């Protein structure tokens, strides 16, 4: 009897965890509730998943296994170009909106067939929690949050979105959103961006515990390192980026600003294993970035400074003497970053730190080499 009771209680405990979100958002999206305590739904087909994500109901959507969208919308054949060469490991660019014609007029042209489902992500409405369990994976299509608020995406992998083709699709798109939490997500083998915040303002975004896997069969650098990582260029984006593992990229991870006043707080992340000519950050004009408490290992170029690429504002806590610069606006000291077989970050602009005042600011642990183990072990859809 007693044993039975224990079995029943253990079952309930597991259910409780599986039925909802684990933990809560830190940083700018603190307080996000997603689908709240709506009765969970358990889609088993891609159609059901699309329907639950896109409808007008507050929903807790629990998924398990692989939802494979490959082929679900057929294929398309169209013109493309090869701006980076025609070697087998090179990405090709679909001539979307005449991109090849306008930007790469001298590149060799070709014809390609790609999967239509990958091009545009699944529409996600407001007040949704999408929670994966047991390694849940969405294959061949990303998600798209446009003009919505209060969404949690947790413990899901996105993979194989036309990886050979630039403009073949993004994994996660935010545009004109507020209160979005992306947590414990894995992205790999993506055509374009792993995550993109585009042109309208995305206020209060927290991206945490994610594994951005840039190891790719095809890349714009033709070397297995994906170039298109995180693209944070909306107007007035407010992004907390914490405890993420950013692996094996050759550029734009992230690209920040250029068009909007993005404020990026990057804290306790692990950047690892970049190509020898690749870079992590691109910092455009109007971008404001704090990088602290993070580990850079085998990242030769932290920020692209070539040809005027750096023209925003960054505070990177170059030494402990700078830590107290954060106290007034972030409510605590900042933490220095550490580097192994990498370049350095030495940016000391602090006038923009006042933009943190009154906001939910993520905590920072001291950067430590142990993070090279602890962050990858915890990142991605491993809950
Ligand atoms: C989201 O939920 C809030 C609180 O229940 C509600 O006021 C709002 O209308 C919902 N938004 C949408 C788009 O359904």
């Amino acid at each position: 009897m007693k044993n039975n009771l224990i079995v029943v209680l253990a079952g309930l405990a597991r259910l409780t965890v599986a039925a909802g979100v684990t933990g809560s958002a830190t940083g700018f999206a603190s307080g996000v509730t997603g689908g709240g305590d709506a009765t969970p739904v358990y889609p088993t087909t891609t159609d059901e998943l699309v329907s639950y994500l896109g409808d007008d109901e507050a929903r807790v959507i629990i998924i398990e296994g692989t939802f494979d969208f490959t082929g679900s919308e057929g294929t398309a054949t169209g013109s493309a170009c090869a701006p980076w060469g025609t070697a087998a490991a090179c990405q090709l660019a679909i001539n979307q909106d005449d991109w090849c014609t306008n930007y790469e007029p001298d590149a060799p042209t070709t014809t390609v067939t790609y999967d239509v489902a990958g091009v545009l992500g699944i529409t996600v409405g407001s007040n949704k929690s999408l929670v994966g369990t047991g390694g849940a994976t969405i294959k061949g299509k990303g998600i798209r949050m446009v003009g919505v608020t209060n969404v949690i995406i947790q413990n899901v992998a996105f993979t194989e979105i036309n990886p050979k083709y630039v403009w073949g699709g993004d994994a996660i798109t935010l545009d004109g959103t507020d209160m979005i939490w992306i947590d414990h997500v894995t992205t790999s083998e993506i055509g374009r961006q792993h995550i993109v915040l585009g042109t309208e303002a995305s206020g209060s975004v927290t991206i945490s515990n994610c594994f951005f896997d840039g190891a790719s069969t095809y890349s714009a650098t033709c070397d297995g390192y994906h170039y298109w990582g995180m693209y944070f260029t909306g107007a007035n984006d407010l992004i907390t980026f914490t405890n993420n593992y950013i692996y094996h990229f050759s550029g734009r991870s992230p690209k920040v600003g250029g068009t909007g006043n993005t404020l990026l707080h990057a804290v306790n992340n692990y950047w690892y294993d970049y190509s020898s000519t690749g870079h992590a950050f691109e910092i455009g004009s109007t971008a404001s970035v704090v990088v602290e408490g993070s580990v850079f290992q085998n990242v030769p170029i932290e920020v692209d400074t070539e040809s005027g690429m750096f023209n925003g504002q960054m505070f990177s806590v170059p030494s402990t003497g700078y830590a107290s610069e954060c106290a007034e606006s972030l409510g605590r000291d900042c933490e220095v970053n550490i580097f192994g077989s990498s370049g350095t970050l030495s940016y000391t602009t602090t006038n923009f730190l006042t933009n943190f005042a009154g906001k939910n600011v993520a905590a920072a642990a001291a950067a430590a080499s142990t993070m090279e183990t602890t962050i990858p072990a915890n990142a991605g859809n491993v809950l």
Side-chain angles (χ1 to χ4, degrees), residues 39 117 125 135 146 155 159 236 266:
T39 304
V146 179
N155 207 39
T159 192
N236 291 311

Side-chain angles (χ1 to χ4, degrees), residues 72-136:
S72 62
E73 298 171 38
T75 58
T77 298
S79 63
C81 57
W84 308 288
T86 52
C90 296
Q91 280 194 298
L92 300 172
I94 298 168
N95 191 24
Q96 177 181 292
D97 300 328
D98 291 326
W99 186 84
C100 293
T101 325
N102 292 336
Y103 296 102
E104 299 287 350
D106 300 328
T109 56
T110 183
T111 299
V112 298
T113 298
Y114 54 94
D115 199 70
V116 175
V119 175
L120 206 59
I122 306 164
T123 297
V124 179
S126 294
N127 301 330
K128 306 281 186 184
S129 301
L130 173 65
V131 181
T133 179

Side-chain angles (χ1 to χ4, degrees), residues 109-195:
T109 56
T110 183
T111 299
V112 298
T113 298
Y114 54 94
D115 199 70
V116 175
V119 175
L120 206 59
I122 306 164
T123 297
V124 179
S126 294
N127 301 330
K128 306 281 186 184
S129 301
L130 173 65
V131 181
T133 179
T137 299
I138 297 178
K139 180 178 168 187
K141 199 171 184 69
I143 49 170
R144 210 172 133 74
M145 287 158 266
V146 179
V148 300
T149 66
N150 194 26
V151 177
I152 298 170
I153 309 293
Q154 188 176 63
N155 207 39
V156 180
F158 295 90
T159 192
E160 290 181 53
I161 303 177
N162 285 317
K164 192 171 182 178
Y165 303 117
V166 174
W167 309 119
D170 306 303
I172 300 169
T173 302
L174 272 64
D175 193 3
T177 64
D178 196 21
M179 294 297 273
I180 309 288
W181 184 28
I182 311 293
D183 184 62
H184 280 288
V185 164
T186 296
T187 52
S188 62
E189 296 282 5
I190 307 299
R192 182 68 175 175
Q193 301 300 144
H194 284 236
I195 181 161

Side-chain angles (χ1 to χ4, degrees), residues 32-374:
V32 61
T33 56
D37 52 10
T39 304
V41 291
Y42 300 84
T44 57
T45 65
T46 55
D47 282 352
E48 284 174 3
L49 177 60
V50 167
S51 168
Y52 286 140
L53 282 172
D55 70 14
D56 289 334
E57 303 289 317
R59 290 202 185 276
V60 174
I61 304 160
I62 313 282
I63 60 171
E64 189 171 7
T66 297
F67 288 72
D68 187 357
F69 287 83
T70 312
S72 62
E73 298 171 38
T75 58
T77 298
S79 63
C81 57
W84 308 288
T86 52
C90 296
Q91 280 194 298
L92 300 172
I94 298 168
N95 191 24
Q96 177 181 292
D97 300 328
D98 291 326
W99 186 84
C100 293
T101 325
N102 292 336
Y103 296 102
E104 299 287 350
D106 300 328
T109 56
T110 183
T111 299
V112 298
T113 298
Y114 54 94
D115 199 70
V116 175
V119 175
L120 206 59
I122 306 164
T123 297
V124 179
S126 294
N127 301 330
K128 306 281 186 184
S129 301
L130 173 65
V131 181
T133 179
T137 299
I138 297 178
K139 180 178 168 187
K141 199 171 184 69
I143 49 170
R144 210 172 133 74
M145 287 158 266
V146 179
V148 300
T149 66
N150 194 26
V151 177
I152 298 170
I153 309 293
Q154 188 176 63
N155 207 39
V156 180
F158 295 90
T159 192
E160 290 181 53
I161 303 177
N162 285 317
K164 192 171 182 178
Y165 303 117
V166 174
W167 309 119
D170 306 303
I172 300 169
T173 302
L174 272 64
D175 193 3
T177 64
D178 196 21
M179 294 297 273
I180 309 288
W181 184 28
I182 311 293
D183 184 62
H184 280 288
V185 164
T186 296
T187 52
S188 62
E189 296 282 5
I190 307 299
R192 182 68 175 175
Q193 301 300 144
H194 284 236
I195 181 161
V196 52
L197 274 58
T199 47
E200 300 297 318
S202 287
S204 303
V205 178
T206 295
I207 301 164
S208 53
N209 307 301
C210 290
F211 175 24
F212 298 103
D213 182 359
S216 37
T217 314
Y218 311 98
S219 76
T221 40
C222 308
D223 56 3
Y225 294 81
H226 199 65
Y227 186 84
W228 326 100
M230 293 112 240
Y231 196 82
F232 300 147
T233 65
N236 291 311
D237 289 352
L238 203 55
I239 307 161
T240 296
F241 190 76
T242 185
N243 283 289
N244 299 296
Y245 177 32
I246 308 102
Y247 169 69
H248 211 79
F249 283 87
S250 58
R252 293 196 173 179
S253 45
K255 175 182 167 73
V256 191
T259 52
N261 298 310
T262 297
L263 178 63
L264 171 64
H265 185 201
V267 45
N268 292 148
N269 300 289
Y270 178 37
W271 277 268
Y272 176 54
D273 188 24
Y274 275 54
S275 62
S276 58
T277 56
H279 57 266
F281 285 90
E282 290 179 25
I283 310 284
S285 60
T286 70
S288 300
V289 180
V290 170
V291 188
E292 59 160 333
S294 292
V295 181
F296 293 84
Q297 181 66 46
N298 296 42
V299 184
I301 303 168
E302 271 56 30
V303 177
D304 186 0
T305 52
E306 277 180 60
S307 57
M309 287 300 287
F310 182 94
N311 45 25
Q313 324 180 73
M314 185 182 249
F315 180 59
S316 65
V317 207
S319 67
T320 51
Y322 286 93
S324 62
E325 296 280 344
C326 294
E328 188 174 337
S329 296
L330 280 75
R332 58 165 174 77
D333 284 4
C334 279
E335 298 286 347
V336 299
N337 301 293
I338 60 175
F339 304 85
S341 302
S342 295
T344 55
L345 276 171
S346 194
Y347 294 93
T348 56
T349 303
T350 53
N351 61 318
F352 71 91
L353 296 180
T354 53
N355 294 331
F356 283 91
K359 299 193 169 68
N360 287 304
V361 176
S369 58
T370 50
M371 288 177 175
E372 295 177 32
T373 310
T374 56

